[in-house]
Amino acid sequence: MALKATIFKADLQIADMDRHYYGAHALTLARHPSETDERMMVRLLAFALNADQALAFTKGLCADDEPDLWQHDLSGRIERWIEVGQPEERRIRRACGRADAVRVYTYGGRTAAIWWEQNGGKLAPLENLAVLNVPATASRALGELVARTMQLQCTIQDGGVWFGNETQTVELNLEVWKEPAD
């Protein structure tokens, strides 16, 4: 018998002063049985950093042809393709061909650094790709914020991110490993 996903609810308040985006999102997240709390919270962070009314979580780990998050325009064209973790180089290349902008949010400390050492040179020519790393201490701290029902706030200003709940706040600065060409 297959294990079922665990459902989490998150009320997320976002104040992104860098993009002038301010919004409240009532989100339902399905955590795959093989997904850790840390990875789920990095997915939630990726949502906050790219927040838009059209941005949506996908089937994620359950679907080979979908990212963790994506955003479509009204015609169905993929505007943003967002991956979390260390996806295969071939998968990223395919995403760059399908979407206007692709973002990869890595985490995991040394394993993420090794992934980048192995793939960075091959991914460098992809003009619509950005790769950002969540430092290991920050991703672990994000994992500690998990509850079945979460009230979260995210503030983004001058490249800094503050993500937290009523009792804890995680301050982090993403490491930019690759920026898009534009």
Side-chain angles (χ1 to χ4, degrees), residues 47-68:
F47 181 92
L49 294 170
N50 296 277
D52 187 281
Q53 294 301 325
L55 186 64
F57 290 100
T58 66
K59 295 176 186 170
L61 296 174
C62 298
D64 290 336
D65 60 340
E66 294 181 1
D68 291 293

Side-chain angles (χ1 to χ4, degrees), residues 45-114:
L45 172 67
F47 181 92
L49 294 170
N50 296 277
D52 187 281
Q53 294 301 325
L55 186 64
F57 290 100
T58 66
K59 295 176 186 170
L61 296 174
C62 298
D64 290 336
D65 60 340
E66 294 181 1
D68 291 293
L69 296 134
W70 59 10
Q71 180 178 331
H72 292 86
D73 68 8
L74 295 175
S75 70
R77 189 181 90 245
I78 302 170
E79 292 178 314
R80 277 191 240 174
W81 179 291
I82 300 169
E83 296 275 356
V84 172
Q86 293 96 40
E88 294 177 0
E89 176 230 347
R90 193 173 103 245
R91 179 178 175 86
I92 297 171
R93 284 186 178 285
R94 191 170 41 234
C96 286
R98 292 180 62 191
D100 295 343
V102 176
R103 288 187 152 222
V104 176
Y105 292 90
T106 65
Y107 69 98
R110 185 68 189 134
T111 59
I114 292 169

Side-chain angles (χ1 to χ4, degrees), residues 9 15 17 19-20 22 29 33 48 59 71 84-85 88 102 105-106 109-110 140-141 151 155 162 164 172 174 176 178:
K9 300 281 186 177
M17 289 166 251
R19 293 189 307 134
H20 304 289
Y22 307 92
L29 294 106
K59 295 176 186 170
Q71 180 178 331
V84 172
E88 294 177 0
V102 176
Y105 292 90
T106 65
R110 185 68 189 134
R140 282 192 297 273
Q151 301 287 322
T155 302
W162 293 265
L172 60 120
L174 297 172
V176 178
K178 182 186 180 323

